[in-house]
């Protein structure tokens, strides 16, 4: 699988908890777009512990899109369930962009979905493997390639986990919209 370069995503307001109404609206748009174009989604989640998939399935009609998810909170499960290369985990630890890409690809493969999404990072309260609290990698895998984003969130555990789910939802919604309607999709208006 090729690894496409990610983008640095700026931290949200320190400690910000995501607005649930906005998150639901974004999830709803994502589910609607995937349904329209016939795309399925699966996730491999670490620090969010299944919260991303739970957010998507809150939307009526999500069963047409969401295939399932892998909770790979423990490092060894990233390899055993999502197929992350064990040598990669040994070399870099679990908080790494290549690990995120492999988790996303593994979620798609294991759940037989068109698109895989993943997250791995440090929610705190303490740093992990010399990685700072708030460092999170999210990835989207599609057609043998992965797009990885590096985030630097601030706040307590709840804020970081909440911001991670929001970033995954937003990034996936943007990705699916561009995939379905082209790169200029942001310029489209509803008729």
């Amino acid at each position: 699988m090729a690894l496409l370069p990610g983008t640095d995503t700026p931290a949200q307001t320190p400690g910000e908890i995501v607005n649930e109404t906005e998150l639901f609206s974004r999830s709803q748009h994502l589910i609607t777009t995937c349904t329209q174009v016939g795309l399925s989604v699966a996730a491999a989640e670490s620090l969010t512990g299944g919260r991303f998939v739970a957010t998507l399935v809150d939307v009526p009609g999500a069963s047409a899109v969401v295939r399932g998810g892998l909770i790979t909170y423990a490092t060894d499960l990233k390899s055993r369930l999502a197929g992350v290369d064990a040598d990669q985990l040994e070399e870099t630890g679990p908080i790494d962009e290549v690990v995120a890409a492999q988790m996303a690809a593994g979620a798609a493969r294991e759940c037989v979905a068109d698109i895989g999404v993943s997250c791995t990072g440090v929610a705190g309260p303490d740093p992990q493997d010399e990685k700072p609290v708030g460092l999170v990698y999210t990835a989207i895998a599609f057609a043998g390639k992965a797009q990885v984003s590096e985030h630097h969130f601030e706040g307590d555990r709840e804020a970081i986990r909440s911001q991670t789910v929001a970033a995954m939802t937003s990034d996936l919604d943007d990705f699916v919209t561009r995939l379905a309607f082209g790169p200029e999709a942001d310029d489209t208006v509803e008729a």
Side-chain angles (χ1 to χ4, degrees):
M1 166 183 11
L3 179 66
L4 300 178
T7 58
D8 275 348
T9 303
Q12 297 179 358
T13 305
E16 178 180 350
I17 300 292
V18 175
N19 179 310
E20 293 299 320
T21 303
E22 290 174 20
L23 182 59
F24 182 80
S25 177
R26 194 72 188 241
S27 299
Q28 198 169 33
H29 184 264
L30 168 62
I31 295 298
T32 300
T33 304
C34 285
T35 301
Q36 288 174 343
V37 296
L39 291 171
S40 59
V41 174
E45 298 180 65
S46 185
L47 72 149
T48 54
R51 191 182 291 189
F52 171 72
V53 169
T55 298
L56 293 186
V57 300
D58 280 345
V59 177
S63 61
V65 172
V66 179
R67 292 281 302 159
L70 310 171
I71 308 303
T72 58
Y73 199 70
T75 300
D76 65 308
L77 293 182
K78 289 170 180 59
S79 180
R80 288 182 41 213
L81 297 179
V84 174
D85 183 270
D87 292 336
Q88 178 71 37
L89 285 167
E90 181 68 30
E91 181 182 327
T92 64
I95 297 115
D96 176 75
E97 65 182 336
V98 174
V99 170
Q102 290 181 5
M103 286 172 65
R109 181 181 57 253
E110 295 303 319
C111 295
V112 192
D114 298 310
I115 300 172
V117 187
S118 71
C119 65
T120 184
V122 186
D126 300 313
Q128 180 181 340
D129 298 329
E130 300 180 18
K131 305 287 172 75
V133 172
L135 173 62
V136 175
Y137 292 99
T138 59
I140 299 169
F142 177 75
K145 295 184 180 178
Q147 170 185 310
V148 178
S149 297
E150 179 177 307
H151 308 271
H152 298 275
F153 297 127
E154 295 182 20
D156 61 12
R157 277 181 64 80
E158 178 59 26
I160 291 167
R161 294 175 73 219
S162 178
Q163 291 170 66
T164 300
V165 170
M168 292 171 75
T169 305
S170 177
D171 289 351
L172 183 57
D173 185 36
D174 291 344
F175 179 84
V176 168
T177 299
R178 284 191 313 275
L179 190 63
F181 305 112
E184 287 80 34
D186 293 338
D187 300 331
T188 60
V189 231
E190 277 199 42

